[in-house]
Amino acid sequence: MASSALHSLARRLGQARLKDYIARQAGDDLDQAGIAALYVLHAEDDSLRITDLAARLGIDSPAVTRNAQQLERLGPVSSARDADDARTCLLQLTPEGRQVLSRFLLARHQWLATLLAGWPPAERREFARLICRFTGDIDRHLCELNR
C-alpha cells in the first residue's frame, strides 16, 4: 500500500504539467530541464562543468550542453572557459538566474501551502518531519550506492 502511494506521489509530482503550472505562477517560461539545471547550480553555489551538471541531473552531456546554451541565451546562466582546461566550459547562475529560481521556489511553496491549508498544524509539522526523515534516508542510501 505505501509503495503504491509513493509511486503515485512521485508520478504526480514529476508531471510536466504541474511544473509548467508552477513556472507560470512564478512568471517564468523555463521548462522542467531548465529549472532542474538552475536548482543544481544553486545547490552547488559555485560554477560547475557541464559534465558535472549532467552527472548530478542524471542525463547525458550533450543534452545538458543544449540546455545550458538555451539558458545562457535567456540569461539565467553564464558560461566561461575553465582557466585550468580551455576545453572545459563552466556554468554559473547569474543574478537573473537566482531570481528566476527564487520565484519558482516561492511559487512551489505557495502551491504546497495551498494543498496543506486544510490540514491541522500538528499534522503539517508531522508530515514535514517525516518527509525530511525520508529524504534524508534516500540521500544516505544514494551516497552508499555511489561508493
Side-chain angles (χ1 to χ4, degrees):
M1 185 73 149
S3 176
S4 175
L6 284 174
H7 176 73
S8 179
L9 174 65
R11 193 176 72 248
R12 283 180 174 85
L13 290 177
Q15 286 187 355
R17 68 182 174 166
L18 175 58
K19 292 181 178 155
D20 290 344
Y21 167 80
I22 294 171
R24 279 193 314 276
Q25 295 303 111
D28 295 308
D29 293 330
L30 288 186
D31 61 8
Q32 184 177 345
I35 291 294
L38 296 185
Y39 193 80
V40 170
L41 289 169
H42 173 74
E44 291 298 321
D45 200 32
D46 199 4
S47 56
L48 276 180
R49 294 182 316 195
I50 286 182
T51 53
D52 293 332
L53 180 58
R56 283 168 180 77
L57 291 170
I59 57 179
D60 63 3
S61 292
V64 172
T65 298
R66 287 188 300 276
N67 190 19
Q69 289 169 343
Q70 179 185 19
L71 290 170
E72 191 170 11
R73 279 192 303 277
L74 294 172
V77 169
S78 64
S79 68
R81 292 285 172 204
D82 187 340
D84 296 329
D85 183 355
R87 298 169 298 164
T88 302
C89 183
L90 296 172
L91 301 174
Q92 189 169 23
L93 274 182
T94 63
E96 179 185 343
R98 291 184 193 289
Q99 290 174 352
V100 167
L101 184 60
S102 179
R103 287 191 303 267
F104 181 85
L105 295 175
L106 178 61
R108 186 177 66 185
H109 174 78
Q110 290 170 334
W111 175 75
L112 287 168
T114 300
L115 286 179
L116 299 174
W119 291 32
E123 287 183 5
R124 287 195 308 260
R125 285 190 299 275
E126 181 66 0
F127 181 66
R129 184 186 73 76
L130 291 171
I131 287 289
C132 288
R133 178 180 172 189
F134 183 64
T135 57
D137 288 347
I138 290 172
D139 289 344
R140 280 187 290 285
H141 181 74
L142 290 174
C143 284
E144 289 172 11
L145 292 176
N146 290 334
R147 292 182 188 164

